[in-house]
Amino acid sequence: MKLTSVDWAVVAMFFLFNIAVSAWFRRRSEKSVTDFFAAGRNVPWWLAGTSMVAATFAVDTPMAISGLVAKGGIAGAWLIWNTVAGGMLTTFFFARYWRRAGVITDAEIAELRYSGRRAAFLRGFRALYFGLPINCLVLGWVNLAMLKTLVLVLGVSKLEGLAILLGLMALTALIPILSGLWGVLATGFFQFALKAGMAIVLAVFAVRAVGGIDGLKAKAALVDYLRFRQPGATLSFLPGLHSSWMPLLAFLVYVSVNWWAAWYPGAEAGGGGYIAQRMLSARDEQHSLLASLWFNLAHFILQPWPWILVALASLVLYPALGDPEAGYILVMMDHLPAALRGLMFAAIAAAYMSALATQLNWGASYMVNDFYRRFLRKDASEAHYISVARWGTVLITVLSAVSCLFMHSVAGAWQLLLVTGAGTGGVFLLRWYWWRVNAWSEISAMLAAPLVSLTLQFVWRLDPAEPAQFAWLMLITTGLTTAAWLAVTWLTAPEPADTLVAFYYLVRPLQFGWKPMARLVPEVAPAADGWRNLRAWFCGCVLIYGALFGIGKLLLGEALTGVLWLMVGLLAGIIMARQIVQQPVDELEAVARYNGAEEPLSRASNGNKRDVSR
C-alpha cells in the first residue's frame, strides 16, 4: 500500500496531537504516585470505561480475529465471547470493592487482605511476575502484530519494519512517561474514536469487495465446502458438534471454565491488571461500576462485528493465505480507497498506541508502587518515585521490543497465556468473599498453575494449539491448581483477626463468607445486594449476547431473527438497569453506619491496629 505525502502528514499530525495531549496533562500527574498511576482517583466513568475499551482494541486484536475466523468461521470469536460472564461478574460483584479498597494497584491488595512476610512476598512476587515477564509477553504480541502490519503495509523488510517499530514505540512511550495514567486515559479516548470509526469504514469496503452481504453469504458456502467440510460452518455462531477446530469438549470448556478460571489481561475474573487500575482511578464506587459496565457493553457489542466482517471477507478473498492473521491488513491494502489510507494507518497506530501505553503505565505501577517503594526505597519524595516510574517505563519498552522477536502467532500467544494461568481465577474471586483464604492460597495457586501447565505441555506433550488438547490442558490445570490451593488453605493458619476485620470493615463484602468477622463489627450492617447483583449479572450477560447475536443476524440479512435477539437483549437490559438504580435501603444503612462508626480493630486484637483510612 503506497502512502502519499498527504497520508504521512495525517499520520504525523496524529502523533503530534497525542504528544500534545500528554504534555497538557503532565502537571496533573506530577503531584504524587497516586496521580501518576491512578489519575488522582477523579476519573469519570465514561473516560475510565472508554480507556478500558481502547486498551483492548490493540492492533493485534483484529488480526487475531482474522486468524480465528479463518480457523473456525464466526464461531472462532468464542475465544473472546466466552469472557462475557467474567466481565459482567467484575462489574456487579467486584467493581465497588476495588474502589472501596483504595489501593493504587491490584498487587497492593495483597497487604490489605493478608498480613506478615507472606503478604509482602506475594505483593512483590505479583509485581515482578506480572509487571515484567507477563507484561512483556503481552507487549510482545502487540509489537508482533504491529511489525507484521508495517511489513505488509509499507512493503519493507522485517529488519526495516523493526526499525520503524522502535521509533513508534519511542513515540508512544512518551505518553505514559510525560503524564502517567492521565495521558493514557485522555489519548485513549481520541484513539478509540478514530480506530473504531475506521474499523467500521474498512468493514463497509470489505463487504463491498465481495459483492455485498449476499455475495459474502454465497461465497461463504464455497468456503464451507473447501475448508470446513460442513455446510453453514463459516457463518454459524456456534461450532458444529463435529467441528475439528472446536470440538464439543473445547467449546464447553470455553463457556464454563475459561471465563472464571484463567488469568488473562483485561479479562481476569474479578478484575485485575489495567481493568482494576481504571476502576481504582474512578471518582467513586458508582463510577467504578459504570466504567466496567460501559467497557463490557462496548467491548462485546460495538467492537466485534466490524472485525468479523473484514475477517470473513479476507477468508473469501484470500482462501489460501499462509498467515490468515495478515488477511485483515491485506483487505485494507487492496480494497480501501487511497483517500482513506492515511486515516486508516493512523487508526492502526492508534490501536497500537492505546495498548502499548496502557501496558507500559500498568507495568511501571507494579515496579514502583509494589516493589521499588515497598522494598527498596520507602522514604523518598513523590518526585523521586515518579522519576523512577518514567525510567521503569523505558525499561519495559526495551524488554517488550526484544520479546516480540521470539513470537510467531498472536492467537497462539493468547492461548499460551490462558493455559499458563488456568486455575488461579478461583482464588482471585474467593479472596473477596471467603475469610479463610490466606496469602499461601494465592502463592500456591500462582506456583501450581504454570508448573502443572508446563508439565502437561512438555512432559505429556499436550499442545495448546490443538483444540481438544487445549481443553484437557485447561481442565487438568484448573482442577489440580484448585485442589492445590484449597489444600494449602486448610493446611495453613488463617490470617490474623485484626487484618481480616480491617479488610471487612473497609471493603464491606457480603456477610455470608465473613460471618466470624462480621460478628466483631456489628455496627457495619450486612450487605444485602447479593441477589440483586446476581440478577444484574445474569441480565447483563443476556443483554450482551442478545445484542451481539441480534446485530450479527441483522448484518447477515436475517432480520426477523436479529430483531428477536435484540428484543431479548433489550428486555434483559431494562431489568439490569433497574437493579443498578434501585439501591437497597439496607445497603444505604450499611454505608451510613460504616461512615459513622469508629475503627473497630481493637475488638479483634490487642496488637497494633492497621490503618484503614485508605
Side-chain angles (χ1 to χ4, degrees):
M1 183 175 76
K2 184 177 180 180
L3 297 181
T4 66
S5 57
V6 175
D7 295 327
W8 284 113
V10 170
V11 175
M13 289 176 62
F14 173 75
F15 274 97
L16 289 174
F17 174 78
N18 280 274
I19 300 303
V21 170
S22 302
W24 176 267
F25 282 92
R26 180 171 183 173
R27 288 187 178 181
R28 291 195 183 189
S29 67
E30 293 185 327
K31 298 176 183 178
S32 67
V33 172
T34 301
D35 289 292
F36 195 84
F37 291 127
R41 307 192 196 283
N42 193 35
V43 181
W45 65 268
W46 55 269
L47 182 56
T50 302
S51 177
M52 295 181 195
V53 188
T56 59
F57 187 168
V59 67
D60 63 290
T61 314
M63 293 180 69
I65 290 294
S66 293
L68 293 170
V69 169
K71 185 182 292 186
I74 291 177
W78 275 102
L79 184 63
I80 293 178
W81 292 352
N82 80 87
T83 60
V84 167
M88 299 310 288
L89 197 74
T90 297
T91 298
F92 294 109
F93 284 90
F94 298 98
R96 289 191 178 103
Y97 293 171
W98 279 112
R99 188 60 183 85
R100 289 173 192 170
V103 293
I104 295 177
T105 69
D106 60 327
E108 189 180 348
I109 203 75
E111 289 196 287
L112 191 70
R113 175 63 175 81
Y114 314 120
S115 66
R117 292 183 178 180
R118 56 190 179 275
F121 169 80
L122 177 60
R123 179 179 178 181
F125 176 76
R126 282 183 62 92
L128 293 179
Y129 178 67
F130 288 112
L132 288 176
I134 296 299
N135 194 27
C136 287
L137 174 64
V138 176
L139 287 171
W141 75 56
V142 172
N143 288 328
L144 173 64
M146 191 61 188
L147 179 59
K148 287 184 177 182
T149 302
L150 292 172
V151 171
L152 288 170
V153 172
L154 303 181
V156 297
S157 67
K158 186 174 181 180
L159 185 61
E160 292 171 326
L162 184 60
I164 299 171
L165 177 66
L166 292 175
L168 294 178
M169 291 179 67
L171 288 172
T172 304
L174 284 176
I175 295 174
I177 288 174
L178 285 173
S179 52
L181 185 60
W182 270 120
V184 176
L185 295 172
T187 56
F189 179 81
F190 296 105
Q191 290 163 357
F192 174 70
L194 174 62
K195 60 192 179 184
M198 290 308 298
I200 294 173
V201 169
L202 181 59
V204 170
F205 282 98
V207 172
R208 183 180 299 177
V210 295
I213 291 297
D214 290 336
L216 176 63
K217 294 169 70 173
K219 293 171 183 176
L222 181 60
V223 176
D224 292 337
Y225 173 75
L226 294 177
R227 180 179 289 268
F228 301 117
R229 309 292 183 184
Q230 184 178 353
T234 305
L235 301 182
S236 174
F237 289 12
L238 294 172
L241 290 178
H242 304 291
S243 169
S244 60
W245 80 272
M246 187 183 283
L248 181 60
L249 176 63
F251 179 72
L252 293 176
V253 168
Y254 272 118
V255 298
S256 63
V257 178
N258 265 22
W259 62 268
W260 65 266
W263 186 94
Y264 185 80
E268 179 182 333
Y274 64 82
I275 298 298
Q277 185 186 37
R278 270 50 170 190
M279 293 188 288
L280 290 165
S281 71
R283 286 178 177 171
D284 54 36
E285 297 173 20
Q286 193 70 355
H287 278 265
S288 178
L289 182 148
L290 292 175
S292 178
L293 178 61
W294 163 236
F295 159 63
N296 283 285
L297 295 179
H299 178 54
F300 292 111
I301 296 176
L302 301 182
Q303 287 197 135
W305 282 110
W307 301 336
I308 293 172
L309 288 175
V310 175
L312 289 171
S314 71
L315 186 59
V316 170
L317 293 168
Y318 316 105
L321 193 61
D323 181 6
E325 291 181 354
Y328 190 88
I329 305 302
L330 290 176
V331 172
M332 180 190 74
M333 294 170 58
D334 296 341
H335 300 285
L336 195 66
L340 295 175
R341 289 175 181 172
L343 277 176
M344 191 67 214
F345 191 72
I348 292 173
Y352 174 71
M353 293 174 73
S354 58
L356 183 66
T358 289
Q359 296 292 141
L360 290 176
N361 181 258
W362 170 61
S365 71
Y366 279 170
M367 292 179 63
V368 174
N369 184 68
D370 301 302
F371 187 75
Y372 183 81
R373 183 167 71 168
R374 173 62 182 85
F375 298 103
L376 301 181
R377 187 84 180 270
K378 297 183 178 182
D379 55 354
S381 66
E382 295 293 305
H384 173 79
Y385 292 126
I386 292 174
S387 177
V388 173
R390 287 171 171 151
W391 282 109
T393 303
V394 173
L395 174 62
I396 297 173
T397 304
V398 173
L399 293 176
S400 66
V402 175
S403 67
C404 85
L405 300 177
F406 299 94
M407 295 184 183
H408 303 285
S409 167
V410 175
W414 284 9
Q415 291 177 316
L416 175 64
L417 194 58
L418 280 172
V419 296
T420 303
T424 57
V427 71
F428 294 153
L429 294 174
L430 287 179
R431 64 184 176 184
W432 299 91
Y433 285 95
W434 186 27
W435 70 275
R436 191 59 180 79
V437 172
N438 59 35
W440 294 118
S441 306
E442 281 199 43
I443 293 171
S444 60
M446 293 180 66
L447 293 175
L451 178 62
V452 172
S453 178
L454 293 175
T455 300
L456 291 172
Q457 291 178 65
F458 293 103
V459 177
W460 294 96
R461 301 296 182 182
L462 290 181
D463 184 0
E466 294 295 327
Q469 295 183 44
F470 172 81
W472 283 113
L473 260 172
M474 285 295 301
L475 287 173
I476 297 172
T477 304
T478 297
L480 293 180
T481 300
T482 302
W485 76 257
L486 283 174
V488 169
T489 300
W490 289 116
L491 292 172
T492 54
E495 297 297 330
D498 63 334
T499 300
L500 295 172
V501 168
F503 184 82
Y504 178 79
Y505 185 74
L506 180 65
V507 177
R508 306 190 304 280
L510 290 176
Q511 189 187 62
F512 178 77
W514 288 84
K515 289 182 180 179
M517 306 305 119
R519 286 194 291 267
L520 298 173
V521 280
E523 67 273 20
V524 178
D529 59 352
W531 287 110
R532 180 173 65 92
N533 288 338
L534 188 62
R535 287 192 297 269
W537 169 79
F538 177 77
C539 290
C541 293
V542 174
L543 164 63
I544 289 178
Y545 282 124
L548 181 66
F549 297 158
I551 292 172
K553 291 296 183 181
L554 288 177
L555 289 173
L556 294 176
E558 301 177 35
L560 179 59
T561 305
V563 169
L564 290 175
W565 272 113
L566 288 175
M567 290 178 63
V568 170
L570 178 62
L571 178 61
I574 293 172
I575 299 173
M576 180 197 72
R578 292 183 63 183
Q579 302 301 309
I580 296 174
V581 173
Q582 292 176 347
Q583 187 85 346
V585 174
D586 48 7
E587 183 180 347
L588 293 176
E589 290 179 353
V591 173
R593 293 183 186 182
Y594 162 75
N595 290 333
E598 296 181 358
E599 189 174 326
L601 302 185
S602 58
R603 301 180 187 177
S605 173
N606 293 325
N608 295 329
K609 297 180 180 180
R610 288 173 59 86
D611 177 17
V612 295
S613 60
R614 291 176 294 179

